[in-house]
Amino acid sequence: NRVRLLKDARENYPAWLDAIDTANRHIHFENYIIREDSTGSRFADALIAKAREGVRVRLIYDWMGNFGKSSRRFWDRLRAGGVDVRCYNPPRLDSPLGWLSRDHRKMLAVDGDVGFISGLCIGRMWEGIPEKNIEPWRDTGVEVRGLAVADIEQAFAEVWALLGEPIPVHELINADELRRAGDMSLRVMA
């Protein structure tokens, strides 16, 4: 495996958007918060553009994390643009306290080629607001290339299957299909 450290949103977001832009087969994106602001719109636009090109785009967001931060209109726009969107654990009448379980994962995987794991959510506040002297949210992420990307994608597939129909087996990436990309040992703990 090869791993590259990415410091805060100034390094993570451009790498994520570049990976989305180069996608040919699929994009798997799971994030606790995707704010309906200029940054969230930039990501939504990029995902919709790839879906319209025929790339399979799957997105998981957390209901509680996005409560009051993103409207139904935001998610409907993504769905209308061809993005397969699933919400993690919205409130249900048959499980009044079930919504307490959260999905705090922040990951992106593209085509089995690259995976990103971070603590960054999506929103302008994570980029900082220079005009208000607000620095970017300090959080380190990693870009992973190599065999471990299969584990990142498998972790996504497991949550995806909890929320509805699983990803078809022929679309899943396994380590046998991937190339070594470096000499770093890496274990993904979902």
Side-chain angles (χ1 to χ4, degrees), residues 174-189:
N174 65 60
D176 296 337
E177 299 173 57
L178 302 179
R179 296 180 309 234
R180 297 177 63 89
D183 60 2
M184 181 175 283
S185 295
L186 175 65
R187 184 169 182 187
V188 175
M189 301 296 294

Side-chain angles (χ1 to χ4, degrees), residues 10-188:
R10 285 182 288 206
E11 294 181 9
N12 280 273
Y13 288 178
W16 298 357
L17 289 166
D18 286 346
I20 290 168
D21 188 53
T22 64
N24 293 309
R25 295 182 298 170
H26 69 261
I27 297 167
H28 295 154
F29 190 35
E30 184 174 359
N31 206 291
Y32 182 61
I33 298 170
I34 303 173
R35 292 186 76 97
E36 187 175 359
D37 62 12
S38 59
T39 302
S41 293
R42 198 164 71 238
F43 274 87
D45 292 345
L47 295 170
I48 290 168
K50 292 315 284 191
R52 288 185 174 154
E53 289 176 17
V55 173
R56 183 65 191 239
V57 181
R58 296 179 175 98
L59 182 147
I60 299 170
Y61 71 94
D62 184 86
W63 178 84
M64 178 61 85
N66 286 276
F67 183 77
K69 297 169 186 75
S70 302
S71 70
R72 179 181 304 252
R73 185 177 63 243
F74 180 79
W75 303 115
D76 288 346
R77 178 175 164 254
L78 281 155
R79 287 182 181 101
V83 176
D84 197 349
V85 177
R86 293 187 182 175
C87 179
Y88 183 85
N89 215 9
R92 296 183 350 223
L93 292 176
D94 64 339
S95 180
L97 297 178
W99 61 269
L100 293 173
S101 173
R102 306 285 27 107
D103 179 3
H104 281 268
R105 186 177 293 157
K106 294 107 179 161
M107 63 75 59
L108 169 68
V110 176
D111 291 345
D113 294 329
V114 63
F116 298 90
I117 302 169
S118 178
L120 288 167
C121 295
I122 304 297
R124 187 163 182 239
M125 67 182 285
W126 282 276
E127 291 183 284
I129 306 171
E131 61 271 19
K132 293 184 178 180
N133 292 321
I134 298 174
E135 291 292 315
W137 187 278
R138 178 64 177 98
D139 216 327
T140 300
V142 292
E143 174 187 276
V144 178
R145 294 184 183 272
L147 305 177
V149 174
D151 294 332
I152 294 168
E153 294 216 0
Q154 182 59 41
F156 177 88
E158 289 170 7
V159 176
W160 188 258
L162 288 173
L163 306 176
E165 286 294 314
I167 296 171
V169 174
H170 70 276
E171 291 184 37
L172 295 174
I173 299 293
N174 65 60
D176 296 337
E177 299 173 57
L178 302 179
R179 296 180 309 234
R180 297 177 63 89
D183 60 2
M184 181 175 283
S185 295
L186 175 65
R187 184 169 182 187
V188 175

